[in-house]
Every structure is written in structure tokens, then in C-alpha cells.
Amino acid sequence: MSALKVYNSIKRQKEEFIPIFPGHVGMYVCGPTVSGESHLGHARPYITFDVVFRYLTHLGYRVRYVRNITDAGHFEEEGRAAVDKIANGALLEKLEPMELVQKYTNLFHWAMQQFNCLNPSIEPTATGHITEQIAMIKQIMEAGYAYEVNGSVYFDVKKYAAGYNYGILSGRVLEDMLESTRELEGQDEKHAKVDFALWKNAPVEHLMRWPSPWGEGFPGWHIECSAMSRKYLGSQFDIHGGGMDLQFPHHECEIAQSEIAGGELMARYWMHNNMITINGRKMGKAYNNTIKLTEMFAGTNPQLEKPYSPMTIRFFVLQTHYRSTLDFSNEALQAAEKGLARLLAAHETLQSLTYLPGEGLYNEELDKQVTTWCQECPEFMNDDVNTAKVMANLFELTPIINSLKSGQIKMAEISEETFILLKTTWQLYLVDILGIVSEKLNDDNKLNNVLQLLMSMRKEAKARKDYATSDKIRNQLLEMGIQLKDEKDGSMSYSIV
């Protein structure tokens, strides 16, 4: 079998994957900004890297998968003025910032459970690592690549670019960026427009603030991931993942500051999934074209013709190679729904079959074809995690499974060895690696997850003294035969009545 190759964005080519430490893999994936609810576009990286995590584990690696929670920060996104999304969201929803963070972190975790995504090994938060961020900023300043102005600290991009390859990941040219960067609010205190914030001075009205050597303030967006990845994976690790939209400025800035603080390129392999688009345009809040995950599941967004289950969305994401654009449409999701049903039905059928030998029925050509389709699955996964081709082979095998059930193909036409290969391949690739499972089997687990979410929402309502909402949740669940009980320690439980 061929070795695993992945497309390394920083080299712009596929490369054989060789971890720094044999048998061990360190992988960091940029997690959600919990200032609001996750949308369909956010689902793609977390489903994609869940499969990468599963496959590396299947190959026998001991994987430390770190996926952060961004619950603070000064966000500098391309073409838009820098903002603090958490603080802004808290003001809009009339919540304490950490109350907002908890609300959307809970909702994110719930959505990941619906998608059957495995939990990361470590899930650090930006607010839990302020000390590490300050320490890294001090290192960068001591090395002479950052400067302080009015209590804010900025990374000196022009000085870095003079000795290092700024643009190594994104392909951006500094001179072009200096010409094209727009004048935005707060740019006047920087030495150059391209410099980015490591730490921002907090104005009086700013809710989220921490003490630092430069006064009270809050971190820049990029420094958070650099500090957390270094703490848990070291100054250099194997894989850094995320959406293609993060290549610039986020990942490019991570590389620059981490190289100065750590002395080497922070990650050896950079993996980026492409975007989900609607009518050819990237799905994003800035474009006002997002579909929240709860809207997907309930079918409540005007762009949806019907609800789509979490497993349909997972199937929809994985049927296309992760580096290809995936365009949303109701037709595509309904086709995914039908395809998912076919594969799950074939899986159920295959599990019910038992090998029955027979004389004189062996079909060498059929046996060879089944074996080939099964044996190609690991080859496809080793070719830059090509889930689309794996799915295509599972669809090729589906009519054979159905024909074995109906008797149109006699069991003895394939060898017992091939039958066992078929059965193990199906379980391994559909369920264990692609993570696609029957939603019927998860109904009890789903009910529990929904109830946990409702109890969390009721607890939040009570905390902000919104007793009307709290009572509504309790009373409507009681009408459905589910009784909530407030425990003495402040938690809640439920029972079926």
C-alpha cells in the first residue's frame, strides 16, 4: 500500500506525510469564534479534520488533536476594520461576554455531536491562555520585531519581511499589500498599514480586559493560536489545519510571529479545506448569506426547501474532495439525502448477510472487481484524504450487496475471503473513518443532546432573570411528557412522565 500523502499548502504540492516523532502526530485546527451560532460553512473544516483525525488514528498514529475555542480577541480580517466580536455580540444580546461565550460554545459542541465528530484531544480557550500570549508577545518584542504604542503592541511586518519570507503560505507580496491596504480606523498608530496587533489597549467602555506589561487590554486574534499551539504541541508540530479563508491574514501572521518566538516554522504540513459557496459566493456573515446549523436541521431558513439531517450534511461535505469548492443547493442536499439512504441501507443489508459456500459458482471476474474496489479505498485515503473517491467505490459496491441479498448474485460467486474483505471495508470506511452512521441508531442519544441544550438555555434564561422563557421551556416540555427538576447544586435533570 502507498504511503499517506497530503497537499501541503505551504509547498503547493502533495508530499509524503512523515511526522516529526515516529508514531505520533500533533495536529492543530483553528476552532470556532463563539460570538454567534455556527453556520453551514463552519461545518466543513470540522467534519474534514474529524476524518483526518480518524484516519491518522486508523493508521496507528497516536494523535494529539488540538482545536481551540476563540472566546476573545482583536480580529483583523482582510478588507474589514478590526473588531472584538465577543464584546460586540455580548452588547447586542445584552449578555455578559462569558455568558455569550458559554451559550455558543454549548451550541457548537451540540452541533459537533450531531455530526458525529469525535472530541479533540485538547480544546483550549483563548481567555484561558492570556499568560502564554503575553509571554510570547514579550519574546517577540525582545527579539526586536514588535513595538508598543499607547498601550497596544504591533508586529513589525516590514522588519520581518526583510529577513524572512512573509507571504510564504498565501503567496502575497509585501510591496503589493502596502499599495493595496485600505486606511482603516486605528491604523495611524502603526508604523505600517500591514502591521498587525499582538495586544490592544482596552478603552474604558471595553468589557473584556486583562492586565499586561503595557496596561489593561486584550489579545490580537493571531497570537492566540500561536500561543496555544506552542503550549500543547511545541514550537514545531506536524499539521496545522483550517479553512482556506484563514490562509491570509490569520495563518500567515501566525507563521511570522511563531517563527520569531520559536525560531522555526511552526507546522510542517498546512492543510486547508475549500469553501462552501452559495451561487458561487463564499458563505459568510460578511456576505449575509449564511445558513445556521440549527436552521439546516429545522429547515427554517428561507433558502431551504426542507430540513436536512446532520448526517445528510456530513455526507454532503465528504462526497466532494476537501480542497474542492462545494456549492450549496437544495438539489445537491436532496441528492446527498438519497445517496446517504442508499449507503446506510446497503450497510444494514451487509451486516445481516452470512457467507454461504457453494460448488461450481465462483465468478473470478466478479471476485476480482469486488476486491479491487475494496483495496482502492486505502489508496484513495492515502492520496490526500480523498473521501469523494472512497464514497464512489462504496456506491459501486452497493448494487452487489443488494444482489447478494436478493439472490441475484449467489454468495459463492465470491470467495469467503473477499466477502470478509467487503464487510470489513464497509464498516471501516463508511462508519469508522467517514463517520457516517444510521441516524435511527442515534435517536436516544439525540434526544438526550436536545434536552441538555434546552436545559442549558433554561439555565441561561434564569441567570438573566428571563423567567418567562425559563417557564416556557419547562412547561412545554412537561406537556410533551418530560419533567425538568432543579437540583440543589444548581444543575438540572429530567425524567419521562
Side-chain angles (χ1 to χ4, degrees):
M1 188 173 72
S2 61
L4 172 62
K5 289 186 176 181
V6 297
Y7 184 87
N8 192 352
S9 301
I10 208 163
K11 299 285 186 66
R12 295 167 181 76
Q13 65 183 17
K14 290 181 190 177
E15 294 185 327
E16 183 178 347
F17 177 70
I18 302 172
I20 298 168
F21 300 104
H24 296 258
V25 174
M27 180 169 76
Y28 186 90
V29 174
C30 292
T33 301
V34 286
S35 58
E37 187 178 339
S38 296
H39 59 70
L40 178 59
H42 294 142
R44 193 172 194 188
Y46 306 126
I47 291 171
T48 295
F49 288 100
D50 178 61
V51 171
V52 174
F53 181 33
R54 287 168 178 267
Y55 190 60
L56 288 169
T57 302
H58 160 69
L59 291 178
Y61 291 111
R62 184 174 178 181
V63 185
R64 177 176 283 183
Y65 173 21
V66 181
R67 185 187 68 205
N68 73 297
I69 294 287
T70 298
D71 57 355
H74 179 77
F75 292 83
E76 298 181 271
E77 296 175 283
E78 191 170 16
R80 295 198 292 277
V83 297
D84 186 319
K85 295 181 181 180
I86 304 295
N88 285 3
L91 287 169
L92 285 171
E93 296 200 29
K94 295 182 173 59
L95 298 172
E96 284 292 327
M98 296 317 291
E99 191 176 6
L100 180 94
V101 161
Q102 192 63 55
K103 173 183 175 180
Y104 289 115
T105 300
N106 291 345
L107 201 54
F108 171 73
H109 286 154
W110 173 78
M112 293 304 102
Q113 288 174 339
Q114 307 316 298
F115 288 135
N116 194 32
C117 289
L118 301 176
N119 293 326
S121 314
I122 302 173
E123 191 175 53
T125 64
T127 56
H129 295 77
I130 298 295
T131 300
E132 289 82 358
Q133 292 167 64
I134 289 172
M136 184 174 261
I137 294 168
K138 287 165 95 173
Q139 273 189 300
I140 297 167
M141 292 185 80
E142 287 165 7
Y145 286 85
Y147 57 91
E148 184 264 334
V149 181
N150 300 326
S152 295
V153 180
Y154 296 98
F155 188 87
D156 192 333
V157 172
K158 288 178 76 175
K159 181 172 182 180
Y160 173 81
Y164 297 87
N165 188 357
Y166 187 73
I168 187 173
L169 178 66
S170 63
R172 304 294 179 100
V173 177
L174 181 60
E175 288 73 20
D176 294 343
M177 286 188 270
L178 287 167
E179 288 296 322
S180 62
T181 303
R182 294 191 296 122
E183 287 287 357
L184 298 171
E185 186 181 350
Q187 295 274 2
D188 53 337
E189 65 182 19
K190 297 180 182 181
H191 290 178
K193 291 182 286 186
V194 290
D195 293 352
F196 56 89
L198 298 172
W199 187 264
K200 282 295 289 182
N201 176 49
V204 175
E205 69 276 8
H206 202 276
L207 297 172
M208 302 183 81
R209 56 205 302 133
W210 291 268
S212 81
W214 317 286
E216 286 203 342
F218 52 100
W221 175 27
H222 316 305
I223 197 70
E224 298 172 352
C225 286
S226 287
M228 289 185 281
S229 64
R230 184 167 76 163
K231 180 176 177 69
Y232 297 108
L233 298 173
S235 59
Q236 187 179 65
F237 51 92
D238 297 300
I239 298 172
H240 195 314
M244 200 170 282
D245 57 328
L246 295 180
Q247 284 189 354
F248 187 88
H250 187 46
H251 290 167
E252 197 74 71
C253 294
E254 275 191 72
I255 288 170
Q257 64 199 9
S258 295
E259 193 164 20
I260 294 302
E264 54 190 334
L265 188 65
M266 67 186 297
R268 293 175 62 177
Y269 301 88
W270 291 77
M271 296 178 69
H272 293 93
N273 64 275
N274 213 320
M275 302 296 99
I276 291 182
T277 57
I278 297 182
N279 299 320
R281 191 173 199 182
K282 175 197 164 186
M283 182 178 287
K285 291 176 184 176
Y287 305 116
N288 197 31
N289 65 353
T290 59
I291 305 175
K292 295 175 183 177
L293 293 177
T294 52
E295 293 174 338
M296 292 293 305
F297 304 157
T300 52
N301 189 289
Q303 298 177 90
L304 299 172
E305 292 178 3
K306 55 174 286 187
Y308 297 101
S309 72
M311 214 41 59
T312 297
I313 296 165
R314 187 176 180 104
F315 180 95
F316 172 67
V317 168
L318 297 178
Q319 69 181 351
T320 301
H321 189 265
Y322 76 90
R323 286 193 292 110
S324 299
T325 303
L326 181 58
D327 198 51
F328 162 85
S329 71
N330 282 280
E331 293 77 16
L333 277 163
Q334 286 163 27
E337 193 172 53
K338 291 175 183 174
L340 172 67
R342 281 186 66 204
L343 290 188
L344 289 175
H347 178 65
E348 194 172 329
T349 296
L350 187 56
Q351 298 310 304
S352 69
L353 294 177
T354 305
Y355 188 76
L356 298 170
E359 293 184 8
L361 295 174
Y362 180 66
N363 183 333
E364 184 178 358
E365 186 177 344
L366 176 65
D367 189 277
K368 185 177 180 181
Q369 184 63 78
V370 171
T371 301
T372 299
W373 280 327
C374 291
Q375 290 177 342
E376 282 177 341
C377 289
E379 296 294 334
F380 293 149
M381 288 299 292
N382 282 341
D383 183 17
D384 194 28
V385 195
N386 200 326
T387 59
K389 286 190 174 181
V390 171
M391 276 197 181
N393 274 26
L394 295 179
F395 276 116
E396 295 283 8
L397 290 164
T398 295
I400 292 172
I401 293 168
N402 293 335
S403 295
L404 287 170
K405 174 71 173 177
S406 68
Q408 190 176 346
I409 295 176
K410 303 300 180 186
M411 187 68 73
E413 290 186 57
I414 60 174
S415 69
E416 185 173 9
E417 182 183 15
T418 298
F419 176 73
I420 292 169
L421 175 64
L422 173 62
K423 212 165 185 176
T424 55
T425 297
W426 203 272
Q427 173 67 31
L428 176 61
Y429 287 92
L430 183 71
V431 178
D432 299 342
I433 292 173
L434 298 185
I436 292 172
V437 294
S438 170
E439 288 170 313
K440 289 186 289 186
L441 299 177
N442 278 345
D443 281 349
D444 288 344
N445 193 32
K446 280 186 181 180
L447 173 62
N448 180 64
N449 289 337
V450 170
L451 288 170
Q452 293 296 333
L453 179 65
L454 286 169
M455 287 191 288
S456 174
M457 291 170 67
R458 181 169 178 261
K459 188 175 181 180
E460 289 167 3
K462 289 179 72 177
R464 62 177 183 267
K465 298 183 179 177
D466 180 4
Y467 299 115
T469 300
S470 170
D471 291 345
K472 183 178 179 181
I473 292 171
R474 182 196 61 204
N475 295 337
Q476 289 194 357
L477 284 176
L478 188 59
E479 287 174 14
M480 298 175 197
I482 300 166
Q483 185 171 43
L484 296 185
K485 182 182 179 184
D486 295 305
E487 304 292 350
K488 290 179 181 178
D489 61 1
S491 64
M492 282 181 230
S493 61
Y494 69 88
S495 58
I496 309 297
V497 294

